[in-house]
Amino acid sequence: GRGGGLEPIPADSGEGRGHPRQVTSLSQGYIQRQTSEVRNLKLPKSLRSSELQGPGSPQCFSVRADTGSLLIASLYSITEYDPRTGQVVSEASLTADSFLPEDGSGMVSACLATASGDVVLFNLNTCQLECVGSVDSGLTSMSWSPDEELVILTTGQETIIMMTKDFEPITEVGIHQDDFGEGKFITVGWGKKETQFHGSEGKQAAQKKIQPAVAWDDRRPRVTWRGDGQLFAVSAICPQTGAMKIRVWNREGVLQATSEPINGLEQFVVQIKILMCVDSTVLAVWLEDMAAGEDGQVNSHIQLWTVGNYHWYLKQSLDFGRDPQKAPVCVCWDPERPLQLHAVSRSWTSITYDWGWMTERSPGLDATDNANVAVIDGEKILVTSFRQCVVPPPMSSFELQLTSPVNQVTFLCRPQGTNQVAAFTANGQISIYSQGRLTKLAECFVLPSKMSGIYLIILAALLDDPLALRQLLWLEDELFVGVSSGLLYSPFLAVLCFRAAVEVDGVVVSVVHCSQTGTVALQLEDGQIRKLVWDHPEPSVEDWRDSSGCRINFPVPCVQTALCSISGEECLLGLTDRSHLYAGDTELASNVCSFAVCNDFLLITTHSHTCRCLHLGTQNDETLRRVERGSRIVTVVPQDTRVILQMPRGNLETVHHRALVLAQLRTWLDSLRFRDAFECMRKLRINLNLIYDHSPKVFLEKIQTFITQLNSINHINLVLTELKEEDTTSSMYPHPESSSIQQQPSSGQKKVDVVCDALRNAMESMDPNKFSLSILTAHVKKTVPELEIALQKVHELRAPGAVSAEEALKYLLFLVNVNDLYEHSLGTYDFDLVLMVAEKSQKDPKEYLPFLNMLKSLEPNYQRYTIDKHLKRYKKALLHLSKCGQSEHFGEALQLVKEQKLYSEALKLYATDSVHYKALSCAYAEHLVEQQQAEQAGLLLWRCGEPVCALQAFAGSSSWRNAICVAQQIPLPPDQLALLARDLAEKLTEQRRYADAALLLD
């Protein structure tokens, strides 16, 4: 009845649940949710009550937003019933005299739409029947907006008419139109007229008036409004295929979205209606079979559909059987909780389904797990193996076709068998599939799974309630565990294969298993945690306790749970619907969007655009990565570096989180899998120095293994060219606190030289011809490049199987500047090699040929002297010049010594009794005097037989003992000697060396 009925208590009145109403804006609405979906609908909790009884049969019901109780109306009464407590809150009899007040307040009028096209208002106070309008083609459905400001009518011509609450037309659009954003104003097709009846005459006339004038079609369009009234959806039968389509309009009558035909509904009659949940993510379709059974009864169904990329997924199918007493007579979504569905049967049995979202991923932790994710799509399961490829839904790696709609999917928890999948279908069967192995010819594809068995579950609860078995978990090959509810408020956990049934004091909302420890943890609806001891002859349930024996429970219920080990202690992680992440009763983080546990890491995505990776051993936040806001973790590939994320718009992205990459690299390096580590580092741009820095001792010991695994000249060269003295394990990639740190060897040599020499020696011992280019690289990349040695090895390349000298030279030119290489080639004194390098350079032959011809004409030693002087290798130049003939070129040598101050080197090249040695000594002494080292100059002159010059040097430096000795050796006359002594004494006195002056005068 429009304008009448029971008024619920406002949500902000402080009574009942008091949760704020979740109003979804247009920007967050149905159209923006057209994204690829990799999640399934799970059923954490369902409440079934058959104790409620009332007069007559239920006709309709509504949910009180403030208390969550159900208002169930029959022909004789309205009953307020709380399904959580099983208590009748209040009951009002419709036959009581006081139900309708004398003034008629509370019940204004009822609005009726007839198949003949009339819209009629019946005033319940005056019994006046008013026809407010008519459509010639007839009407097929009518729906009022939640705020009762608009009304939607669908006509026999398959159009939609939108009107105000005063029945003023707004727009009319065709149901099957394909143009988005178009609508037209009403000009024809709607007329108003008024007819009045009174008393019994009015009742008879009203009954006559509403008789259908056109054939009744059970597959007529149905209309449902979104909770906030901003959008409405219409189900329509496609004229070409007979399949149903869902089309969405806004309040202005503009088409916002249309689906592809929803296949699989041809055998059903859209008997009752379609219902959109409050946040528009799930569409419930209430159906009955097209044909009746032998007993004349038809099956009743409720199907839950979601949409992604304009593909409709059938996520759940509830089959209520043929018993009319068990069939629902009214169904509705909860106005507060988006995924809570209520249903009441003709036998007064009420069922409340609390749905939630779940990503079904394979639980393996080793490399045999293919990181499978299963998506339910009616009678098909879309399976994607993310280890091989990333395929966004609605596509998949392969499909599993079943014969009945799938309601639950679970993967085997046994290690080495986690690629096997089991499907629990609506007909009560469990179908098991095992996945085939990959072949080398199909590395990027996954072979379809093969069915390996079907099990029929016979459980008394399944006969009374669809989805009585939920939270299905596949523990071992022939052992399942699931949650079922017996009689009201007596939930129990049933281990299938008919092994045992364990009673749990509370409603179990989640069941998780740990592959490493075999632990099965249960969460109750109030957040309590229990442990299922399932591997004993008599399974039992016990409290969850920490290492100190204290009971551990979640502060609030969690919608996603997982088992992990933190600092050696097993604990249960839980994520609430308010984005709080708990480890038992300890809050780890807030603002969390999703999480996943992979080996030793906990990965979380947050609402603040980040993806964090926490090490469970050290509880340190190793790395932070910026991601798109609202990104959710789909799965993490075990023993790999890949994290699969789903963006808010639905696309899938693969990211390699730095923490996972480094952990996997350390694992590979510890197990000497150098090639796997190298390929990963090269692909993800990890500094290749980590190969050595991770464990220098092991690398040097296993260096031949490293070369054998890489088995590529280019790869070895890449490692050599990236070598740096920096220790990457202490700067770029520090070790976790829990791992041991490998110390660098303290041989005194530089790291680059150690690695280059070790690799070069190993390659020369293994196959010098094969690794010739890498050997050259090892020479060139040393801290002091050994270019001459490299060039000499290039010149000596003549062995079969080795690269040619020309190819080797071309390679060197990539590593070294061509001009530098030309200069160093000159230093080999090999003119053939010089010409080879010069031809590869950009030099003009007119520049270098005359110079080379001039060099060739010189005497060999003088030739090398000229080359070394040109290269500014003055010590070598002096050596070669000293061999040219000591008389002919001594002047040139002396000039070179003076210019480059090579006195010490020059004195070693000449005999001490030679004239050239004496000349060099005198030149050296002059240099020492200029450097204020007169005493050293005097000793040098004295030794080469120049006592007079030596005396001058000693006297100038106040070296009085050496001066007196040299004066006596000359010898000086006594008077000159006395004069020398007095001069020296004066200098000593000026220098305040009084003792030396007195000794000298004595």
Side-chain angles (χ1 to χ4, degrees):
R2 176 176 169 268
L6 299 176
E7 292 294 331
I9 300 174
D12 57 357
S13 63
E15 302 184 28
R17 287 181 287 179
H19 294 301
R21 180 177 177 84
Q22 298 184 5
V23 178
T24 306
S25 66
L26 183 61
S27 62
Q28 298 174 329
Y30 188 84
I31 305 307
Q32 282 66 31
R33 297 179 185 272
Q34 303 293 315
T35 59
S36 301
E37 185 58 72
V38 295
R39 298 178 297 176
N40 298 317
L41 278 176
K42 67 172 183 177
L43 184 62
K45 180 177 63 174
S46 66
L47 297 177
R48 181 179 184 273
S49 172
S50 57
E51 296 183 354
L52 175 64
Q53 296 296 328
S57 298
Q59 300 298 313
C60 61
F61 78 104
S62 180
V63 182
R64 285 191 62 164
D66 55 340
T67 63
S69 58
L70 304 181
L71 300 174
I72 306 175
S74 69
L75 294 174
Y76 307 104
S77 67
I78 295 179
T79 303
E80 183 175 0
Y81 173 73
D82 191 341
R84 295 165 298 180
T85 63
Q87 301 297 322
V88 175
V89 179
S90 61
E91 185 174 10
S93 174
L94 293 179
T95 59
D97 295 336
S98 61
F99 181 74
L100 292 177
E102 293 182 1
D103 58 358
S105 62
M107 297 291 287
V108 178
S109 60
C111 184
L112 307 173
T114 69
S116 61
D118 292 332
V119 177
V120 180
L121 288 180
F122 183 73
N123 191 300
L124 298 177
N125 302 322
T126 63
C127 293
Q128 176 181 331
L129 189 66
E130 176 187 2
C131 182
V132 296
S134 180
V135 177
D136 294 337
S137 60
L139 296 175
T140 56
S141 65
M142 178 180 68
S143 178
W144 285 86
S145 64
D147 58 1
E148 296 188 352
E149 292 292 328
L150 299 175
V151 62
I152 298 295
L153 302 173
T154 59
T155 71
Q157 292 182 342
E158 295 190 330
T159 61
I160 299 172
I161 298 176
M162 179 186 294
M163 294 185 293
T164 67
K165 63 182 179 180
D166 299 321
F167 301 100
E168 294 293 335
I170 299 176
T171 59
E172 180 180 9
V173 293
I175 293 178
H176 298 291
Q177 76 168 46
D178 295 324
D179 297 329
F180 288 86
E182 289 191 4
K184 65 178 183 177
F185 288 96
I186 292 292
T187 56
V188 295
W190 178 257
K192 289 190 175 182
K193 53 185 176 180
E194 181 175 334
T195 307
Q196 295 184 359
F197 303 92
H198 299 279
S200 61
E201 177 189 358
K203 294 181 181 179
Q204 295 174 0
Q207 292 174 357
K208 180 179 179 180
K209 183 68 180 177
I210 62 177
Q211 292 296 321
V214 297
W216 188 264
D217 182 9
D218 283 338
R219 292 170 62 84
R220 65 192 187 279
R222 302 291 181 176
V223 182
T224 180
W225 285 84
R226 198 173 72 178
D228 60 356
Q230 295 297 319
L231 299 173
F232 66 91
V234 179
S235 65
I237 305 302
C238 182
Q240 292 79 16
T241 63
M244 188 175 74
K245 283 188 175 183
I246 303 295
R247 296 174 179 269
V248 182
W249 281 266
N250 61 16
R251 291 174 67 96
E252 287 72 35
V254 178
L255 181 64
Q256 299 291 298
T258 184
S259 74
E260 293 297 322
I262 303 177
N263 297 314
L265 296 179
E266 294 81 0
Q267 71 272 29
F268 299 114
V269 176
V270 186
Q271 175 67 17
I272 312 300
K273 56 182 175 181
I274 60 175
L275 307 101
M276 190 184 300
C277 70
V278 67
D279 64 353
S280 309
T281 55
V282 182
L283 187 72
V285 182
W286 188 359
L287 305 164
E288 286 186 355
D289 284 348
M290 182 76 74
E294 296 180 356
D295 55 359
Q297 304 296 330
V298 294
N299 274 327
S300 296
H301 310 267
I302 295 178
Q303 295 185 346
L304 303 183
W305 294 79
T306 63
V307 63
N309 275 355
Y310 300 99
H311 174 81
W312 286 84
Y313 299 86
L314 174 56
K315 291 297 186 182
Q316 293 289 334
S317 180
L318 310 182
D319 186 356
F320 290 89
R322 297 180 181 273
D323 188 349
Q325 295 299 314
K326 296 179 181 179
V329 295
C330 41
V331 179
C332 75
W333 289 102
D334 192 278
E336 291 284 327
R337 297 181 174 90
L339 297 180
Q340 189 174 83
L341 182 68
H342 302 277
V344 176
S345 69
R346 186 169 283 107
S347 61
W348 290 88
T349 299
S350 70
I351 307 176
T352 299
Y353 297 101
D354 279 311
W355 302 100
W357 294 106
M358 168 67 75
T359 301
E360 298 292 348
R361 58 174 74 98
S362 53
L365 299 177
D366 52 27
T368 62
D369 185 274
N370 287 330
N372 297 302
V373 172
V375 178
I376 295 175
D377 188 8
E379 296 181 356
K380 295 187 297 184
I381 302 176
L382 312 179
V383 182
T384 299
S385 297
F386 285 99
R387 183 177 292 276
Q388 279 75 38
C389 52
V390 177
V391 182
M395 299 179 290
S396 60
S397 300
F398 58 89
E399 298 179 356
L400 303 179
Q401 182 66 52
L402 293 94
T403 58
S404 180
V406 180
N407 285 335
Q408 297 182 63
V409 175
T410 180
F411 288 91
L412 180 59
C413 297
R414 177 178 55 82
Q416 309 296 322
T418 54
N419 293 324
Q420 299 185 54
V421 62
F424 182 41
T425 54
N427 59 359
Q429 290 183 347
I430 293 182
S431 301
I432 296 176
Y433 294 84
S434 59
Q435 187 166 318
R437 295 185 177 180
L438 295 178
T439 63
K440 292 184 179 180
L441 298 178
E443 292 182 352
C444 297
F445 302 93
V446 180
L447 298 182
S449 297
K450 297 181 179 180
M451 180 177 290
S452 56
I454 297 179
Y455 298 85
L456 178 63
I457 301 175
I458 301 177
L459 197 62
L462 293 179
L463 302 177
D464 298 327
D465 180 18
L467 283 181
L469 185 66
R470 50 190 173 84
Q471 302 291 340
L472 193 64
L473 199 62
W474 191 6
L475 294 180
E476 294 180 348
D477 291 334
E478 295 184 356
L479 182 62
F480 290 82
V481 64
V483 178
S484 179
S485 298
L487 297 178
L488 185 63
Y489 310 119
S490 301
F492 66 92
L493 185 142
V495 178
L496 301 185
C497 294
F498 309 100
R499 237 184 72 175
V502 184
E503 290 190 1
V504 182
D505 185 17
V507 178
V508 179
V509 297
S510 68
V511 182
V512 291
H513 175 267
C514 179
S515 300
Q516 292 176 314
T517 62
T519 303
V520 175
L522 317 176
Q523 181 198 186
L524 306 186
E525 63 176 341
D526 57 356
Q528 295 187 59
I529 305 175
R530 299 288 186 268
K531 178 184 290 187
L532 172 65
V533 183
W534 60 274
D535 51 354
H536 289 181
E538 293 295 332
S540 61
V541 174
E542 58 187 33
D543 294 335
W544 188 277
R545 299 181 183 274
D546 59 12
S547 57
S548 61
C550 298
R551 293 180 56 183
I552 301 296
N553 296 308
F554 287 134
V556 292
C558 296
V559 296
Q560 180 186 353
T561 56
L563 281 167
C564 70
S565 178
I566 299 179
S567 301
E569 182 173 347
E570 191 172 28
C571 64
L572 184 64
L573 299 177
L575 179 64
T576 71
D577 56 357
R578 300 292 183 180
S579 303
H580 292 272
L581 182 65
Y582 289 92
D585 53 4
T586 303
E587 184 176 354
L588 297 181
S590 60
N591 198 30
V592 176
C593 180
S594 64
F595 78 93
V597 177
C598 180
N599 300 111
D600 297 330
F601 293 95
L602 169 63
L603 289 95
I604 62 175
T605 59
T606 68
H607 294 291
S608 56
H609 316 259
T610 61
C611 178
R612 296 178 178 271
C613 190
L614 294 88
H615 195 280
L616 293 174
T618 60
Q619 303 182 41
N620 288 336
D621 190 352
E622 285 205 353
T623 51
L624 181 146
R625 181 189 181 100
R626 304 291 296 179
V627 295
E628 187 174 340
R629 183 173 185 178
S631 301
R632 291 185 293 104
I633 298 174
V634 176
T635 188
V636 182
V637 182
Q639 299 299 322
D640 203 276
T641 63
R642 288 170 286 175
V643 181
I644 312 300
L645 299 178
Q646 184 171 32
M647 303 297 108
R649 58 186 179 276
N651 59 306
L652 299 181
E653 292 186 5
T654 300
V655 299
H656 298 264
H657 208 288
R658 177 59 59 88
L660 295 180
V661 171
L662 295 179
Q664 188 60 46
L665 288 176
R666 295 180 186 117
T667 301
W668 282 333
L669 293 175
D670 289 338
S671 57
L672 303 181
R673 294 173 59 182
F674 293 110
R675 181 172 182 81
D676 292 334
F678 171 81
E679 293 290 352
C680 178
M681 296 169 74
R682 185 177 66 150
K683 178 182 177 181
L684 302 180
R685 298 184 179 181
I686 303 296
N687 195 302
L688 295 176
N689 283 266
L690 183 62
I691 297 177
Y692 172 82
D693 295 336
H694 174 70
S695 182
K697 181 180 179 182
V698 173
F699 178 82
L700 295 177
E701 291 175 352
K702 303 295 182 180
I703 197 165
Q704 289 193 356
T705 304
F706 170 76
I707 296 172
T708 303
Q709 288 188 13
L710 262 62
N711 196 30
S712 169
I713 305 300
N714 293 334
H715 293 171
I716 296 174
N717 291 342
L718 188 59
V719 173
L720 287 167
T721 52
E722 282 204 16
L723 285 175
K724 294 181 180 179
E725 290 298 327
E726 177 187 6
D727 181 8
T728 55
T729 59
S730 59
S731 57
M732 301 173 66
Y733 316 118
H735 283 271
E737 295 179 2
S738 59
S739 62
S740 59
I741 299 177
Q742 299 287 338
Q743 298 293 334
Q744 296 281 357
S746 56
S747 61
Q749 284 186 283
K750 294 184 176 181
K751 164 189 158 182
V752 175
D753 293 341
V754 169
V755 177
C756 287
D757 290 340
L759 284 171
R760 177 176 52 81
N761 293 332
M763 290 184 290
E764 287 177 346
S765 64
M766 294 172 66
D767 192 342
N769 294 328
K770 176 182 177 180
F771 298 108
S772 56
L773 294 183
S774 297
I775 292 173
L776 295 178
T777 308
H779 284 295
V780 171
K781 293 306 295 181
K782 295 188 70 173
T783 52
V784 179
E786 299 173 345
L787 294 180
E788 292 86 354
I789 299 177
L791 285 168
Q792 194 61 43
K793 289 188 175 182
V794 169
H795 189 56
E796 294 171 357
L797 285 175
R798 297 289 187 271
V803 297
S804 65
E806 184 176 358
E807 291 177 355
L809 186 60
K810 285 182 179 179
Y811 173 73
L812 275 182
L813 291 174
F814 284 108
L815 301 177
V816 185
N817 182 273
V818 63
N819 294 323
D820 295 339
L821 198 61
Y822 173 78
E823 298 295 333
H824 282 84
S825 66
L826 276 175
T828 63
Y829 316 116
D830 188 333
F831 289 99
D832 292 337
L833 184 60
V834 175
L835 284 173
M836 185 185 303
V837 175
E839 289 173 355
K840 302 297 180 183
S841 68
Q842 301 297 322
K843 291 179 177 293
D844 188 346
K846 295 180 180 179
E847 296 179 7
Y848 62 83
L849 286 179
F851 177 67
L852 296 181
N853 291 331
M854 181 272 293
L855 291 176
K856 288 183 178 180
S857 64
L858 300 176
E859 187 269 334
N861 286 322
Y862 194 77
Q863 179 190 90
R864 294 190 175 189
Y865 155 73
T866 306
I867 291 174
D868 291 331
K869 186 177 180 182
H870 172 75
L871 298 178
K872 298 181 181 181
R873 301 188 304 187
Y874 298 111
K875 292 182 180 180
K876 284 188 174 182
L878 180 62
L879 174 63
H880 291 124
L881 188 58
S882 66
K883 298 177 181 179
C884 292
Q886 297 184 354
S887 300
E888 181 179 358
H889 298 287
F890 179 73
E892 196 171 354
L894 182 60
Q895 182 65 27
L896 178 64
V897 169
K898 289 181 177 180
E899 290 176 354
Q900 304 300 327
K901 299 178 176 56
L902 301 175
Y903 299 101
S904 299
E905 291 79 2
L907 291 174
K908 297 175 183 178
L909 300 176
Y910 293 90
T912 57
D913 57 348
S914 64
V915 176
H916 304 302
Y917 186 88
K918 186 175 183 179
L920 287 170
S921 298
C922 292
Y924 193 11
E926 292 177 2
H927 173 70
L928 291 175
V929 171
E930 293 175 357
Q931 298 295 320
Q932 306 298 320
Q933 300 180 28
E935 184 175 3
Q936 297 296 326
L939 292 173
L940 185 62
L941 292 169
W942 192 5
R943 186 175 63 180
C944 70
E946 292 290 339
V948 177
C949 295
L951 178 60
Q952 294 177 354
F954 288 139
S957 63
S958 301
S959 179
W960 61 274
R961 286 187 176 88
N962 291 329
I964 296 300
C965 290
V966 171
Q968 291 176 347
Q969 184 181 359
I970 291 179
L972 285 181
D975 54 340
Q976 293 185 6
L977 185 61
L979 180 60
L980 176 62
R982 285 194 294 272
D983 292 340
L984 289 173
E986 289 182 3
K987 289 183 178 181
L988 292 173
T989 302
E990 292 174 355
Q991 298 173 2
R992 297 184 179 181
R993 297 169 58 185
Y994 301 112
D996 291 340
L999 184 59
L1000 178 59
L1001 291 175
D1002 287 344

